Amino acid sequence: MKKILYTKFQNIEDIIADLMKHAAVRKAITRANLCKFWAKVAGEKFAKNSRPYSMIKGSIMVIACKTPTVAQELMLRKTQLLVKFKPYVESLEMRLTDLRFDAKKWVDEVEE
């Protein structure tokens, strides 16, 4: 039987560098990083009942809310939330112009 040698391995650093050359990948990673800050911006109470859902038009974050009441409460705090988001948005070199809150987007996570 012929012995097969696997010698053309690529370093993980090289793979990541190749991925980061693509604008769509960079954008997705940046948006995902921004979403990680939601709990800090919204606070513990709201972080349990809402989560980032998507970004539309490049600068509007859609937040899925557990109930319409949570969506309404967050809507009343929108200006404060945008101010709290500002340092994170600037550090990621992004634009965030608006927040939209939608109770219809909420999906309970399935625990396995």
Side-chain angles (χ1 to χ4, degrees):
M1 185 185 294
K2 187 175 179 181
K3 196 173 192 178
I4 300 173
L5 299 175
Y6 297 98
T7 58
K8 293 191 177 187
F9 288 116
Q10 194 174 10
N11 291 335
I12 191 73
E13 293 86 10
D14 296 337
I15 294 170
I16 292 172
D18 287 344
L19 284 173
M20 293 305 287
K21 290 178 184 174
H22 301 285
V25 172
R26 281 195 314 273
K27 183 187 278 186
I29 290 172
T30 304
R31 286 180 176 177
N33 285 333
L34 183 62
C35 291
K36 289 179 183 180
F37 296 117
W38 175 247
K40 289 182 180 183
V41 170
E44 185 179 337
K45 178 176 111 179
F46 289 112
K48 289 179 183 178
N49 296 303
S50 63
R51 68 178 72 98
Y53 181 79
S54 67
M55 293 286 284
I56 56 175
K57 298 182 182 176
S59 64
I60 301 170
M61 182 182 282
V62 178
I63 307 295
C65 301
K66 193 170 187 175
T67 65
T69 307
V70 172
Q72 180 66 32
E73 186 71 30
L74 288 169
M75 176 64 86
L76 294 172
R77 299 170 187 249
K78 182 187 340 187
T79 304
Q80 296 167 331
L81 293 170
L82 285 169
V83 168
K84 287 183 178 181
F85 251 127
K86 190 174 182 176
Y88 302 115
V89 171
E90 289 175 351
S91 69
L92 293 170
E93 298 177 359
M94 288 185 67
R95 286 182 47 229
L96 181 63
T97 58
D98 197 11
L99 298 170
R100 298 216 179 134
F101 307 99
D102 192 344
K104 295 175 186 173
K105 305 282 188 203
W106 182 264
V107 176
D108 284 320
E109 294 179 355
V110 179
E111 294 183 23
E112 293 180 23

